[in-house]
Amino acid sequence: MEILKKVIKEKAKVLDESVLKVDTFLTHQVDINLMDLVGTEFYKRFSNKPITKVLTLESAGIAPAAFVAQKFGVPMIFVRKHKSITMDKEMLEASVHSFTKQVTNKIALAKDLLTSEDCVLIIDDFLAQGQAALGLSDLCHQAGAQVAGIGIVIEKSFQEGRLLLEQEGYHVESLARITSFENNEVHFLNE
Ligand code: 5GP
């Protein structure tokens, strides 16, 4: 997605050889017009699938996932990383090792939000080692729901996430695929 690549080139900061900071348009401040275009692009790429729910992980996945859900006209669910006292329903749980925080979190979803009737599109901000997407798909399987595909805003193709997800049989679509941060610059696939 050319406009996304342009914004990454202009605004993202390479923090080290594997982490990109995108807090001015995606993970802290959100560029709403860009997210609207992201929603439209994912809609185009998955519109042949009978999506009933869009699933993401709090917090950085929420902005893109909301726009994707709006385009499909379906609810967006964000899976929780932290237990709250309002989570009094029966919950499904999975473990996810966080690439950026280097801790393992239990992620949780109210059991009644997904059923075996659901066809789920998983959306996330980044794909690194694939653990967040695998945790989300684990929750879908526990609920008996079908995973239609996985949509990623920024994929770091030099990490093994895509390979892992494809080995599990998932259809992965990424809007920007980064091959390296050589010389502190972002290099894209097919550049
Ligand atoms: P994975 O589970 O694929 O290893 O990592 C994906 C998750 O880690 C995403 O949900 C995202 O929040 C975070 N993440 C991974 N790499 C980066 C990065 O380079 N920058 C930022 N801001 N977040 C990242």
Side-chain angles (χ1 to χ4, degrees), residues 10-184:
E10 285 171 7
K11 298 190 173 163
K13 286 203 172 63
V14 175
L15 284 192
D16 61 33
E17 70 281 353
S18 63
V19 179
L20 192 66
K21 189 171 172 180
V22 293
D23 64 342
T24 57
F25 61 95
L26 180 55
T27 59
H28 199 20
Q29 174 170 263
V30 177
D31 181 335
I32 295 299
N33 291 333
L34 182 65
M35 289 307 113
D36 191 47
L37 297 173
V38 161
T40 302
E41 185 63 31
F42 279 128
Y43 180 74
K44 267 193 223 152
R45 296 189 189 201
F46 289 103
S47 58
N48 59 339
K49 307 258 174 81
I51 308 295
T52 60
K53 303 262 167 72
V54 171
L55 190 71
T56 192
L57 187 58
E58 70 173 353
S59 53
I62 295 175
F67 283 88
V68 178
Q70 190 216 21
K71 305 298 170 193
F72 280 96
V74 301
M76 182 273 288
I77 303 170
F78 61 96
V79 168
R80 310 294 293 256
K81 282 181 188 158
H82 306 285
K83 280 214 161 139
S84 126
I85 50 166
T86 60
M87 286 157 78
D88 55 351
K89 295 180 183 168
E90 214 181 324
M91 306 296 287
L92 300 176
E93 287 191 342
S95 287
V96 170
H97 184 74
S98 163
F99 173 73
T100 44
K101 301 197 179 84
Q102 291 296 319
V103 291
T104 300
N105 285 313
K106 276 236 153 66
I107 62 169
L109 165 73
K111 200 173 177 184
D112 59 357
L113 291 182
L114 283 186
T115 73
S116 56
E117 311 277 284
D118 280 312
C119 181
V120 179
L121 176 56
I122 292 173
I123 296 289
D124 207 2
D125 58 336
F126 272 91
L127 177 60
Q129 295 173 332
Q131 297 307 301
L134 284 176
L136 292 172
S137 55
D138 182 4
L139 294 175
C140 293
H141 296 308
Q142 289 181 45
Q146 192 194 329
V147 177
I150 298 172
I152 301 291
V153 180
I154 304 174
E155 171 184 321
K156 290 178 293 177
S157 306
F158 54 87
Q159 295 182 279
E160 72 270 24
R162 173 180 279 269
L163 191 71
L164 262 177
L165 299 179
E166 287 182 342
Q167 276 170 354
E168 295 291 320
Y170 296 115
H171 171 192
V172 181
E173 290 283 343
S174 306
L175 304 188
R177 299 183 68 183
I178 294 173
T179 51
S180 83
F181 294 143
E182 208 180 317
N183 300 325
N184 268 6

